[in-house]
C-alpha cells in the first residue's frame, strides 16, 4: 500500500473514533436526561416484554404497585384480578396488533392486595426490523376519581328516580324558576295536558295563578308558594285541600351549591287515603278506649318498670283512685306496701325473662277487706323492638277465691261425711248380718229338731224364710261393696285380663250348657285386681244367669282405641228392651223378678268403669242376646 493511502486511511480512522466519542458523550447525556425524566414522572411507568414480564419501572411504579424489579421478578398477570383476566388479555392483544392502547381502564391489585382502579396508556417498542420486542406504558391511579364519578352517577340516578317517581308529583326549578325537570304525576295532578319533557325550559313564575282554581283556598295556595319561594328555606308537610276532595302534602327543598342558591325541588303527595285511614284509626282508637274503659278487666300501661302511663276506669275503681292521682306516678309511691314492691320485682323479673304468664296477688284494703287479683303481664315494645315497659291486666277474683274457699270447706265436710257414712255402712252391715246369720242358724236347727212334726208346707215356708234371709244378706253385701268404691283411691297394677277371666271361670258356677270363650288375646290392663275382678265377674255372671237358651254362649273380646281399651261381654240370652238399656245400670234396678238378684251388680260395674275414666253401655235385641261394652283408660 502506498504511503499516501495509508496516511489517508489513518486520518479517516481517527476522525471516525472522534465522532464515535462525541456520539457516546451525546448518548450518555441523553440517557442521563431520559433516566432523570423517567424517574421523576408523576405517573407509574412500566416496560414489559411480550410475555408480560416487567423489565423496567420507575419509582412511582414501585410506590404504586409495591413491587421492585431489583428485588422481585414479577409478571403483569400478578397485578390482574381474576374477574379482569379476559379484559386485560384482550387489551394486550389489541396493543400488540395496533401498536398503541389509549385510556384503557381496569382494576388491579398491588403486592399488598390493595385493589386500585387505573387508566393505562401504552405503546409497542419495535426493533430495527420493525418487529415488536416490548411494550411500555403509563399507569395512572384513578381510584379516587372513579369513586367520585360513581357517587355522582348514583346521585344522578337517585335524582332521576325521584323525579320519575310515580307516587309523587315532582317539579325541579332553577334559581329563576325555570323548569328543569318534572314527571307525569305532576302534569296529571295539575291538569296540564302536555308531556313532562315539553315543560322543560318553561318559566314557572305564573303557574300558581293558573292552577289556583283546583284548590279550595286558591289565593292561599298562590300566596303560600310566593312566601316559600321568597324565604328559600325547607318546608315539609304542607297540607293542601283540592276542590275534588283530594288532600295533598307538599315539600319544598332549596338547593345550595357552595352556599349559592341554585334552585329548588317541589314534591306533592296525595295523602287522601292516609287522612281517611288516620280518621278511621282515630275512630277505632275511641271505640277501643271505650271498650277498655268499660271492660271488667283492669288495665294499666307501665312506662319503664314503675311509672303509670295510662290506666282504665275499671282499674281506677279497683285502686279507689282518680286519674290525676295515678298518671305519671310510680306504683311503689302509690302503694308503699311490702307486697306491692315484691309484686313489682316479680313483674320486672318476668319481663326480663320474656315470661307472660299470670300470677295471683292479694292485699288488704281499708274498706273492702282482703282482696285477690289475678294479674297478667306482657312486655310493651317500641318500633325498634325494644322493651320500654309492660301492660298489666288486673282481674278481681276475690269473689271466686271466697267461693273456692267455701268449696274447699264443703269438700272437707263432704269427705268427712262420706267417711262417716262408710263407717256407718260397715257398722250397719255388721249389725244386720249378725242377727241374719243367727236367724238362718235358728231356722236350720228348727228344721232339724222338728222335721218329724212339721208337714211339707211348713218345711217349704221355712226354706222360703231361709232364702229370704240369704237374699237380704246378699243385698247388704252388695250395698257395702257399692258404698266402699272410692274414686280417689285408685291403685294401678299390671293385670293380665286373660288370666283374670280364667280365674273367674273357676270361681263362678258355669253350667254344662254354657260355652264361654275369649276372642283373640286380651290385653294387660293397669288397674286394681279386686275391682277388675268384680267388674268382669258381675258381667259374666249376668250373661250366664239371664240366658234362657239350651246352648248358652258367652263371648269376651277387646279392641284397642288408642287411649282406651274397649271390652265387650256378649251373650245369646233373653235380650233387653231398648227403653231399659240405660236403666239397668242404676242402683236397685231389676228387669226380672228374680228372687236372688240384688239389682246392684251393674251399678257396681258402672261405678268401677267410671273410676277408671271409662264408659259403659249396652246393645241388645229381645230374644237374640245382649252386648255390654265398657272402656278402661290406659294409664
Amino acid at each position: 500500500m502506498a504511503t499516501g493511502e495509508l496516511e489517508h486511511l489513518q486520518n479517516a480512522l481517527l476522525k471516525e473514533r472522534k465522532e464515535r466519542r462525541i456520539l457516546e458523550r451525546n448518548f450518555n447525556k441523553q440517557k442521563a436526561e431520559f433516566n432523570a425524566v423517567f424517574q421523576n414522572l408523576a405517573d407509574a411507568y412500566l416496560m414489559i416484554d411480550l410475555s408480560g414480564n416487567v423489565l423496567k419501572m420507575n419509582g412511582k411504579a414501585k410506590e404504586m404497585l409495591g413491587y421492585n424489579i431489583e428485588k422481585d421478578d414479577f409478571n403483569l398477570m400478578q397485578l390482574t384480578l381474576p374477574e379482569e383476566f379476559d379484559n386485560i388479555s384482550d387489551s394486550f392483544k389489541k396493543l400488540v396488533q395496533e401498536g398503541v392502547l389509549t385510556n384503557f381502564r381496569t382494576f388491579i391489585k398491588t403486592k399488598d392486595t390493595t385493589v386500585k382502579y387505573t387508566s393505562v396508556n401504552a405503546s409497542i417498542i419495535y426493533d430495527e426490523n420493525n418487529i415488536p420486542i416490548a411494550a411500555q406504558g403509563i399507569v395512572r391511579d384513578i381510584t379516587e376519581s372513579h369513586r367520585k364519578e360513581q357517587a355522582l352517577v348514583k346521585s344522578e340516578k337517585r335524582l332521576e328516580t325521584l323525579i320519575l317517581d310515580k307516587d309523587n308529583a315532582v317539579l325541579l326549578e332553577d334559581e329563576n324558576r325555570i323548569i328543569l325537570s318534572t314527571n307525569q304525576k305532576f302534569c296529571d295532578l295539575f291538569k296540564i295536558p302536555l308531556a313532562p319533557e315539553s315543560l322543560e325550559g318553561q318559566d314557572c313564575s305564573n303557574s300558581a295563578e293558573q292552577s289556583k282554581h283546583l284548590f279550595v283556598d286558591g289565593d292561599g295556595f298562590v300566596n303560600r308558594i310566593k312566601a316559600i319561594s321568597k324565604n328559600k328555606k325547607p318546608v315539609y308537610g304542607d297540607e293542601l285541600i283540592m276542590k275534588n276532595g283530594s288532600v295533598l302534602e307538599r315539600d319544598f327543598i332549596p338547593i345550595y351549591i357552595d352556599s349559592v342558591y341554585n334552585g329548588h325541588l317541589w314534591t306533592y303527595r296525595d295523602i287522601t287515603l292516609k287522612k281517611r285511614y288516620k280518621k278511621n284509626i282515630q275512630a277505632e282508637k275511641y271505640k277501643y278506649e271505650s271498650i277498655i274503659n268499660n271492660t271488667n278487666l283492669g288495665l294499666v300501661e307501665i312506662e319503664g318498670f314503675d311509672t303509670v302511663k295510662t290506666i282504665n276506669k275499671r282499674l281506677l275503681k279497683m285502686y279507689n283512685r282518680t286519674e290525676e292521682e295515678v298518671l305519671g306516678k310510680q306504683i311503689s309511691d302509690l302503694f308503699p306496701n311490702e307486697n306491692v314492691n315484691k309484686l313489682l320485682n316479680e313483674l320486672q323479673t318476668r319481663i326480663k325473662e320474656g315470661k307472660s304468664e299470670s300470677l295471683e296477688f292479694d292485699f288488704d284494703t281499708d274498706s273492702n277487706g282482703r282482696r285477690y287479683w289475678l294479674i297478667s303481664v306482657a312486655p310493651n315494645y317500641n318500633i325498634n323492638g325494644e322493651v320500654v315497659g309492660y301492660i298489666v291486666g288486673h282481674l278481681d277474683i276475690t269473689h271466686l277465691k271466697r267461693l273456692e274457699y267455701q268449696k274447699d270447706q264443703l269438700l272437707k265436710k263432704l269427705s268427712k261425711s262420706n267417711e262417716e257414712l262408710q263407717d256407718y255402712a260397715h257398722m250397719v252391715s255388721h249389725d244386720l248380718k249378725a242377727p241374719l246369720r243367727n236367724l238362718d242358724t235358728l231356722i236350720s236347727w228348727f228344721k232339724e229338731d222338728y222335721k218329724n212334726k212339721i208337714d211339707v208346707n211348713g218345711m217349704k215356708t221355712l226354706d222360703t224364710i231361709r232364702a229370704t234371709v240369704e237374699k237380704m244378706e246378699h243385698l247388704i253385701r252388695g250395698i257395702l261393696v257399692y258404698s266402699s268404691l272410692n274414686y280417689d283411691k285408685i291403685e294401678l297394677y299390671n293385670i293380665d285380663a286373660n288370666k283374670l277371666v280364667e280365674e273367674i271361670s273357676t270361681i263362678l258356677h258355669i253350667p254344662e250348657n254354657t260355652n264361654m270363650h275369649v276372642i283373640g288375646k286380651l290385653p294387660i290392663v293397669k288397674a286394681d285386681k279386686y275391682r277388675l275382678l268384680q267388674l268382669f265377674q258381675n258381667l259374666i255372671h249376668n250373661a250366664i244367669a239371664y240366658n234362657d237358651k239350651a246352648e248358652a254362649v258367652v263371648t269376651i273380646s277387646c279392641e284397642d282405641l288408642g287411649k282406651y281399651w274397649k271390652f265387650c261381654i256378649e251373650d245369646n240370652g233373653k235380650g233387653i228392651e231398648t227403653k231399659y238399656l240405660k236403666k239397668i245400670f242404676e242402683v236397685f234396678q231389676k228387669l226380672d223378678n228374680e228372687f236372688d238378684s240384688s239389682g246392684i251388680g251393674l251399678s257396681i260395674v258402672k261405678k268401677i268403669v267410671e273410676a277408671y275414666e271409662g264408659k259403659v253401655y249396652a246393645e241388645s235385641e229381645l230374644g237374640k242376646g245382649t252386648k255390654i261394652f265398657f272402656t278402661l283408660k290406659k294409664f
Side-chain angles (χ1 to χ4, degrees):
M1 178 181 294
T3 304
E5 290 178 354
L6 181 60
E7 185 177 348
H8 178 75
L9 184 60
Q10 288 177 340
N11 290 333
L13 183 60
L14 290 173
K15 182 179 180 182
E16 182 181 348
R17 286 178 178 176
K18 184 177 179 180
E19 289 176 351
R20 181 177 294 176
R21 284 196 294 270
I22 293 171
L23 287 173
E24 285 179 355
R25 284 198 300 271
N26 290 337
F27 174 76
N28 290 333
K29 181 180 179 182
Q30 290 178 358
K31 182 178 179 181
E33 291 175 351
F34 173 78
N35 284 333
V37 173
F38 172 73
Q39 292 297 336
N40 290 285
L41 280 173
D43 296 312
Y45 172 86
L46 291 174
M47 180 185 292
I48 61 174
D49 63 20
L50 297 184
S51 296
N53 297 309
V54 178
L55 304 174
K56 195 170 185 178
M57 62 193 305
N58 67 351
K60 189 65 177 179
K62 294 175 184 178
E63 179 185 338
M64 175 181 172
L65 303 177
Y67 290 98
N68 187 346
I69 60 171
E70 296 172 2
K71 299 178 181 179
D72 305 313
D73 291 329
F74 79 99
N75 189 281
L76 179 66
M77 300 312 292
Q78 289 175 249
L79 305 175
T80 306
L81 296 173
E83 58 269 25
E84 292 289 318
F85 182 82
D86 292 339
N87 187 27
I88 289 179
S89 295
D90 293 341
S91 66
F92 191 73
K93 291 177 184 177
K94 181 180 179 182
L95 171 64
V96 174
Q97 291 173 359
E98 299 180 4
V100 66
L101 185 66
T102 305
N103 198 26
F104 169 68
R105 296 190 174 193
T106 185
F107 286 98
I108 64 169
K109 63 177 179 180
T110 63
K111 188 176 182 180
D112 64 0
T113 70
T114 302
V115 176
K116 295 185 177 182
Y117 192 66
T118 60
S119 173
V120 180
N121 291 283
S123 62
I124 292 293
I125 299 174
Y126 300 93
D127 63 8
E128 62 275 8
N129 297 318
N130 201 34
I131 296 175
I133 58 172
Q136 61 181 354
I138 298 294
V139 182
R140 181 173 297 166
D141 184 357
I142 59 170
T143 305
E144 185 62 24
S145 61
H146 177 68
R147 185 189 65 77
K148 292 180 179 179
E149 182 181 319
Q150 291 298 309
L152 181 60
V153 170
K154 288 181 180 179
S155 178
E156 290 175 349
K157 287 183 177 179
R158 282 196 294 268
L159 181 59
E160 182 181 356
T161 301
L162 178 64
I163 297 296
L164 297 176
D165 188 350
K166 294 182 179 180
D167 293 330
N168 292 334
V170 180
L171 176 65
L172 180 64
E173 300 175 340
D174 68 8
E175 65 276 15
N176 298 314
R177 298 212 58 195
I178 302 300
I179 297 176
L180 299 176
S181 182
T182 186
N183 63 356
Q184 188 62 49
K185 184 72 175 179
F186 181 84
C187 295
D188 295 341
L189 192 63
F190 287 91
K191 310 298 181 186
I192 301 173
L194 298 172
E197 302 81 31
S198 64
L199 295 179
E200 294 178 9
Q202 299 293 319
D203 189 345
C204 206
S205 303
N206 198 39
S207 60
E209 285 287 345
Q210 297 171 355
S211 303
K212 71 177 186 179
H213 67 281
L214 299 172
F215 297 90
V216 173
D217 184 7
D219 292 334
F221 170 73
V222 173
N223 294 333
R224 180 64 174 156
I225 284 183
K226 290 179 179 178
I228 292 173
S229 300
K230 182 179 179 180
N231 291 334
K232 297 180 177 59
K233 293 180 180 179
V235 174
Y236 301 100
D238 251 11
E239 281 196 9
L240 306 168
I241 301 175
M242 303 186 76
K243 288 183 178 179
N244 63 5
S246 298
V247 181
L248 304 181
E249 192 173 68
R250 176 178 58 194
D251 296 339
F252 173 83
I253 304 172
I255 301 171
Y256 288 90
I257 301 177
D258 296 330
S259 301
V260 178
Y261 181 69
N262 275 263
H264 48 259
L265 180 71
W266 297 95
T267 60
Y268 293 84
R269 293 177 296 278
D270 190 335
I271 60 168
T272 308
L273 289 178
K274 179 180 176 182
K275 294 290 287 186
R276 290 175 183 170
Y277 286 147
K278 188 175 180 180
K279 288 182 180 179
N280 289 337
I281 290 171
Q282 193 66 30
E284 290 294 310
K285 179 183 176 184
Y286 290 145
K287 181 175 76 174
Y288 286 111
E289 279 182 355
S290 176
I291 293 172
I292 289 170
N293 279 322
N294 290 284
T295 185
N296 196 39
L297 183 67
L299 294 171
V300 61
E301 181 183 359
I302 305 296
E303 193 172 39
F305 282 103
D306 198 5
T307 307
V308 178
K309 186 176 181 181
T310 60
I311 187 169
N312 73 342
K313 292 180 181 178
R314 174 61 182 167
L315 192 54
L316 286 172
K317 186 176 180 181
M318 291 167 70
Y319 278 147
N320 194 25
R321 303 269 183 166
T322 65
E323 198 172 66
E324 291 74 19
E325 291 177 314
V326 174
L327 291 183
K329 304 295 182 10
Q330 292 187 322
I331 296 290
S332 53
D333 292 337
L334 293 169
F335 301 96
N337 180 290
E338 183 179 343
N339 288 337
V340 175
N341 289 326
K342 184 178 178 181
L343 172 65
L344 289 172
N345 291 332
E346 177 71 13
L347 292 176
Q348 289 186 32
T349 301
R350 292 185 180 223
I351 287 295
K352 290 175 181 177
E353 293 177 354
K355 297 180 180 178
S356 58
E357 65 266 22
S358 301
L359 59 113
E360 285 189 14
F361 173 62
D362 58 274
F363 62 101
D364 293 316
T365 63
D366 296 333
S367 57
N368 295 322
R370 194 161 193 79
R371 309 298 298 178
Y372 296 86
W373 287 354
L374 182 65
I375 295 180
S376 60
V377 57
N380 195 17
Y381 301 94
N382 62 14
I383 59 175
N384 297 320
E386 301 165 337
V387 176
V388 293
Y390 49 94
I391 297 173
V392 186
H394 302 64
L395 182 63
D396 192 336
I397 57 171
T398 305
H399 181 63
L400 293 176
K401 295 294 286 186
R402 289 171 182 169
L403 289 176
E404 186 179 333
Y405 174 77
Q406 293 174 5
K407 182 194 76 173
D408 290 340
Q409 295 302 310
L410 287 173
L411 287 176
K412 288 179 182 178
K413 290 181 180 179
L414 183 61
S415 177
K416 186 177 180 181
S417 297
N418 284 337
E419 290 178 4
E420 292 174 350
L421 284 172
Q422 285 188 11
D423 293 340
Y424 180 73
H426 281 279
M427 181 188 69
V428 169
S429 66
H430 180 270
D431 291 346
L432 289 175
K433 282 181 181 179
L436 286 175
R437 290 193 193 100
N438 292 337
L439 182 60
D440 182 68
T441 303
L442 288 173
I443 293 171
S444 177
W445 289 350
F446 187 82
K447 284 180 64 179
E448 184 65 30
D449 292 344
Y450 296 96
K451 61 182 176 181
N452 296 325
K453 296 180 180 181
I454 301 174
D455 60 12
V456 175
N457 291 331
M459 282 299 210
K460 287 182 178 179
T461 301
L462 290 174
D463 288 338
T464 302
I465 293 172
R466 287 193 69 184
T468 303
V469 169
E470 185 179 348
K471 177 183 176 182
M472 190 170 182
E473 186 178 2
H474 182 62
L475 183 62
I476 291 170
R477 186 165 56 249
I479 293 172
L480 184 60
V481 170
Y482 184 81
S483 64
S484 64
L485 290 174
N486 193 332
Y487 287 99
D488 299 329
K489 297 177 181 178
I490 299 178
E491 296 183 3
L492 300 175
Y493 305 94
N494 288 328
I495 309 297
D496 189 336
N498 297 282
K499 293 182 179 179
L500 191 74
V501 171
E502 290 177 8
E503 185 177 339
I504 291 171
S505 66
T506 62
I507 296 173
L508 291 176
H509 170 67
I510 301 177
E512 293 182 1
N513 71 325
T514 300
N515 180 21
M516 186 177 78
H517 63 277
V518 176
I519 298 177
K521 187 176 181 181
L522 300 180
I524 293 176
V525 181
K526 282 191 175 292
D528 176 83
K529 182 179 178 181
Y530 173 71
R531 291 187 177 185
L532 209 60
L533 191 68
Q534 280 185 310
L535 171 62
F536 276 91
Q537 185 173 323
N538 285 358
L539 291 175
I540 294 173
H541 174 267
N542 281 2
I544 296 172
Y546 299 107
N547 199 312
D548 58 351
K549 300 296 187 296
E551 292 185 7
V553 178
V554 177
T555 304
I556 304 167
S557 61
C558 183
E559 181 183 354
D560 189 346
L561 298 183
K563 293 183 179 180
Y564 292 86
W565 296 113
K566 181 182 178 182
F567 290 89
C568 177
I569 311 294
E570 182 180 0
D571 65 67
N572 64 336
K574 299 178 182 180
I576 304 169
E577 289 186 58
T578 303
K579 63 181 179 179
Y580 296 122
L581 290 178
K582 292 183 179 180
K583 188 178 180 181
I584 60 174
F585 296 103
E586 298 176 9
V587 182
F588 302 126
Q589 296 297 321
K590 297 189 296 181
L591 303 183
D592 293 323
N593 191 22
E594 295 290 339
F595 189 78
D596 60 348
S597 174
S598 65
I600 298 178
L602 288 180
S603 60
I604 290 175
V605 166
K606 182 182 179 184
K607 196 167 185 180
I608 293 173
V609 169
E610 289 177 348
Y612 293 98
E613 300 182 25
K615 294 181 180 180
V616 60
Y617 60 95
E619 293 179 0
S620 183
E621 188 175 348
L622 282 175
K624 293 186 178 181
T626 302
K627 294 180 181 179
I628 303 292
F629 297 94
F630 65 91
T631 58
L632 298 177
K633 186 177 180 181
K634 295 179 181 179
F635 290 95

